[in-house]
Each structure stands twice: as structure tokens, then as C-alpha cells.
Amino acid sequence: MTNNLASANNTDESGQDKKLYDLTMVRAVSGGDEGFIKKMIHLFIETVPPSLHDLKEASSEKQWEKVGKVAHKLKSTIDSMGIESLKEDIRNVEANGKHQQDIEAIPPLIQKIDTIVINCIQQLKTDFSL
């Protein structure tokens, strides 16, 4: 039976079923309150896509200072949701935007962040029946 459980948790060897988030921090703050955890997930799902839209728009308009500010805002959310694969990327976007350096690296990083966040939201919706 453990084989079935293991395959259910990792059905795709390419890593498609690997969790993109880790709610350890949210759970620690929640004090075991599942309602609070779901509220935080809803907040993430509602607030992050508009911020990503702002980030992409600022980048396409070469508003690098705004890119840095929006990335700064997203950084704490990404950290609290435990999206480890984006921690370095969002910091690079923030720093590069604020200092207007390495700006050619910003658009591909934003695309990566957008893709991973969209996939993370889908996982959360599935995992928490939202």
C-alpha cells in the first residue's frame, strides 16, 4: 500500500506533481487554525495575479523603479507561501529594477515567476478544494 501512496504523491517523474509551495510558515503563524490557513491561501490567489500583471506591465514599459517596488511587495508573499524556487528570482528582479542594472535579465525572470505562480495557484486550488 505504501507504493500506491508514493506513486500518488509523485505520479510524474518530470516533477509536475512536486509541490511548488510550502505552508510551514503560514501553519506556524496560524496556530493550527485551518480557517486562517485557507484565508491566507485565498488572499494569495486574489492578490498575487494583479501584482504579477503590474510587474509584467512595468517591465514591458521599462519602468524599472516600479518593477523593483512591485517585486519588493511580492517578495514577502512568495517567502510566506514557501515558494522556494522563486526566492532568489524575485530578489534579483527587485534589485535589478531598483538599481536599473542587468535589466535584460528582468523579463525572462518575470516570465518564470509568472509561470510558477500560476502553477502554484492551480496546486493550491486542487489541494485545498478551492
Side-chain angles (χ1 to χ4, degrees), residues 64-127:
W64 305 121
E65 189 175 323
K66 183 176 180 183
V67 165
K69 287 179 180 179
V70 176
H72 177 78
K73 187 171 96 172
L74 281 168
K75 181 174 62 177
S76 61
T77 304
I78 286 170
D79 288 355
S80 65
M81 292 300 287
I83 309 173
E84 293 295 325
S85 60
L86 296 181
K87 282 190 172 190
E88 189 175 322
D89 294 331
I90 196 68
R91 283 163 172 74
N92 286 336
V93 170
E94 178 188 20
N96 292 351
K98 282 184 178 177
H99 303 297
Q100 296 186 21
Q101 64 189 25
D102 228 358
I103 53 176
E104 69 281 350
I106 293 175
L109 283 174
I110 290 173
Q111 184 55 52
K112 177 184 175 187
I113 291 164
D114 187 50
T115 300
I116 290 175
V117 166
I118 288 168
N119 290 334
C120 183
I121 287 172
Q122 285 307 112
Q123 281 185 354
L124 286 163
K125 285 181 175 180
T126 300
D127 294 349

Side-chain angles (χ1 to χ4, degrees), residues 1 39 41 46 51 54-55 65 68 73 91 119 122:
M1 186 144 260
K39 187 182 278 188
I41 292 167
E46 289 174 13
S51 293
D54 292 348
L55 189 64
E65 189 175 323
K73 187 171 96 172
R91 283 163 172 74
N119 290 334
Q122 285 307 112

Side-chain angles (χ1 to χ4, degrees), residues 10-65:
N10 191 13
T11 55
D12 186 354
E13 289 181 13
S14 71
Q16 287 298 100
D17 286 346
K18 184 176 183 288
K19 292 293 172 228
L20 296 171
Y21 64 89
D22 177 357
L23 299 179
T24 301
M25 184 185 295
V26 174
R27 288 189 191 287
V29 178
S30 76
D33 181 350
E34 285 296 316
F36 175 83
I37 293 167
K38 280 196 171 185
K39 187 182 278 188
M40 292 297 98
I41 292 167
H42 275 290
L43 197 58
F44 174 78
I45 291 170
E46 289 174 13
T47 62
V48 171
S51 293
L52 284 172
H53 174 77
D54 292 348
L55 189 64
K56 290 186 286 189
E57 190 174 80
S59 174
S60 70
E61 294 174 0
K62 299 182 184 338
Q63 296 177 343
W64 305 121
E65 189 175 323

